[in-house]
Amino acid sequence: MTKNYPTKEFIENLPKAELHLHLEGTLEPKLKLKLAKRNKIAIGQETIEEVQKSYQFDSLSSFLNVYYPAMNVLQKEEDFYELAWEYLKKAKEHHVKRVEVFFDPQAHTSRGIKFKDVINGYYRAIQNSSELGISADLIMCFLRDMSAESAMETFEQALPYKDKIAGIGLDSDERGNPPSKFFDVFKKAKEAGFHLTMHCDIDQENSIEHIRQALFDAKVERLDHGTNIIENPDYVKYVKENNIGLTCCPVSNGFVVEDMKGKEIIELLEQGVKVTVNSDDPAYFQSYISDDLYAVAENYFLTTEQVVQLVKNSFEIAWISDEEKVEYIQLVDAYVDSFNKVKAI
């Protein structure tokens, strides 16, 4: 039987959900310069080319050393709104229909920005996303290289805005910062009714133990990255049986460890795990979700059917109603049928 491989056009126009996207990671050079000028922030760069040149890294640590200082240009509620809105417009270009996006309040409150300005700016953009044909929610992440006390303080700050936040996550530098460090605050988040997810970054020290803690102790609903789970067949079986999805980001993987983890993604996909493809920090890796899907498809010879399954997985593990999941998957099927009919003419 002849295998069918997807074209870039097919992937770009395929309806998608994005579940692993850091809003702070969508700070494109043009917007960074605009905000720096508006807020009178000296960033040491005057042109788009100079900003692009500063986006250089070869590991998670070196990436974070570029990533956090860039946020200094975000000062006011309007800045956070504009950042999120620019991403949503880009998402529309990639035919994204559903997004669940991360944000890192501690990266801003630690430099004197008010929590309310962060959440209200982002949420205003999320509220307006329907104008672009996109359904959207926010996931508030704790920075794992900050203290557990800081995470708890941030959680308490978030409670008055509970209706604006769908889930709680955990990100940033994983070295020496296991999920167990944050069990108390995640327990409170679960009791408060938030969805839970955690980053389990690729090829980190104690990766498989961190995955164990996230799955069995914190009882998260998703793993962000998480492809090291392939090292433990019992854990793979567990996530499959419990419909726990993995939000993978192949292009960013290739930057921080020189491996997209495409083989692992395919193996998990073939085992029936709800593995997905997302863009992570697209302004820094210059790869939005369609680009990530095409990159992994092209480099690992994914079939059209595999790409479609990756996209369906994203809708199936999204934090939406079962009825909405069915509607989105029907939208995907309708697109595939339409594309095939046009192709056959």
Side-chain angles (χ1 to χ4, degrees):
M1 183 176 179
T2 303
K3 289 186 177 180
N4 183 21
Y5 297 101
T7 63
K8 192 169 187 179
E9 177 194 4
F10 175 85
I11 289 174
E12 286 175 348
N13 292 294
L14 190 60
K16 306 171 190 70
E18 178 144 52
L19 309 177
H20 188 141
L21 183 285
H22 299 268
L23 283 173
E24 288 86 359
T26 68
L27 183 61
E28 289 284 355
K30 183 179 179 180
L31 182 58
K32 183 182 179 184
L33 287 172
K34 177 184 176 180
L35 296 180
K37 183 177 181 180
R38 185 162 80 197
N39 294 322
K40 298 178 172 59
I41 304 293
I43 60 173
Q45 297 132 22
E46 300 291 337
T47 67
I48 288 175
E49 290 74 24
E50 287 178 353
V51 178
Q52 288 173 332
K53 199 173 291 184
S54 74
Y55 288 6
Q56 300 292 326
F57 26 79
D58 57 9
S59 67
L60 178 59
S61 296
S62 65
F63 164 68
L64 295 174
N65 287 336
V66 174
Y67 182 68
Y68 288 121
M71 295 182 201
N72 287 331
V73 301
L74 297 163
Q75 295 286 322
K76 304 180 181 71
E77 178 182 323
E78 189 63 28
D79 302 337
F80 294 99
Y81 168 80
E82 191 165 353
L83 178 64
W85 188 246
E86 287 299 315
Y87 161 70
L88 288 166
K89 289 194 296 183
K90 195 75 173 179
K92 181 183 179 181
E93 293 177 16
H94 288 260
H95 295 267
V96 174
K97 302 299 182 184
R98 169 68 183 172
V99 298
E100 294 168 9
V101 292
F102 301 125
F103 72 106
D104 294 322
Q106 290 159 289
H108 312 297
T109 57
S110 62
R111 51 189 182 85
I113 309 301
K114 294 178 181 178
F115 184 94
K116 70 178 181 66
D117 289 340
V118 180
I119 184 67
N120 288 337
Y122 282 153
Y123 186 68
R124 187 151 51 92
I126 292 300
Q127 276 188 305
N128 294 339
S129 66
S130 59
E131 297 174 16
L132 301 172
I134 297 172
S135 161
D137 273 315
L138 291 169
I139 302 171
M140 185 181 78
C141 290
F142 302 122
L143 299 181
R144 65 200 312 157
D145 41 3
M146 295 184 72
S147 69
E149 291 75 19
S150 175
M152 189 66 78
E153 180 183 329
T154 301
F155 178 71
E156 296 295 336
Q157 285 181 302
L159 285 176
Y161 304 93
K162 184 176 181 294
D163 61 328
K164 298 179 178 180
I165 302 168
I168 299 295
L170 181 67
D171 61 15
S172 200
D173 198 343
E174 194 165 332
R175 293 175 306 169
N177 298 299
S180 58
K181 176 179 173 182
F182 301 94
F183 281 170
D184 287 346
V185 71
F186 269 80
K187 183 173 183 291
K188 283 185 174 291
K190 190 175 185 68
E191 290 169 351
F194 290 103
H195 292 288
L196 302 182
T197 187
M198 283 181 173
H199 275 53
C200 289
D201 292 317
I202 56 172
D203 297 345
Q204 299 292 301
E205 184 179 337
N206 299 320
S207 281
I208 201 70
E209 168 58 17
H210 291 182
I211 288 171
R212 187 200 66 77
Q213 291 178 15
L215 290 176
F216 300 104
D217 297 333
K219 298 191 181 303
V220 297
E221 298 161 67
R222 295 202 298 245
L223 288 176
D224 303 312
H225 297 301
T227 47
N228 286 91
I229 198 172
I230 209 78
E231 298 166 21
N232 190 307
D234 290 337
Y235 296 177
V236 173
K237 181 181 178 183
Y238 177 83
V239 297
K240 179 182 176 181
E241 290 178 348
N242 290 276
N243 204 39
I244 295 170
L246 276 63
T247 66
C248 305
C249 308
V251 171
S252 71
N253 289 349
F255 271 86
V256 298
V257 297
E258 297 183 353
D259 183 352
M260 286 188 183
K261 298 299 177 182
K263 290 179 181 178
E264 290 84 349
I265 290 171
I266 293 169
E267 187 174 343
L268 290 164
L269 185 66
E270 289 176 345
Q271 291 188 47
V273 174
K274 301 295 185 188
V275 63
T276 69
V277 167
N278 310 268
S279 67
D280 207 357
D281 300 283
Y284 291 86
F285 304 119
Q286 284 303 295
S287 181
Y288 284 81
I289 187 168
S290 298
D291 307 313
D292 268 69
L293 276 164
Y294 186 68
V296 74
E298 185 179 41
N299 283 281
Y300 295 90
F301 306 103
L302 266 65
T303 64
T304 299
E305 291 74 18
Q306 288 173 313
V307 169
V308 169
Q309 189 58 57
L310 286 168
V311 167
K312 286 184 175 181
N313 285 349
S314 296
F315 288 117
E316 287 171 358
I317 66 167
W319 293 333
I320 53 179
S321 69
D322 289 343
E323 290 77 15
E324 288 172 298
K325 292 178 183 182
V326 169
E327 289 175 7
Y328 282 126
I329 289 168
Q330 288 175 341
L331 191 65
V332 173
D333 286 335
Y335 167 78
V336 173
D337 289 344
S338 175
F339 188 91
N340 288 337
K341 285 177 183 175
V342 171
K343 186 179 175 183
I345 295 174

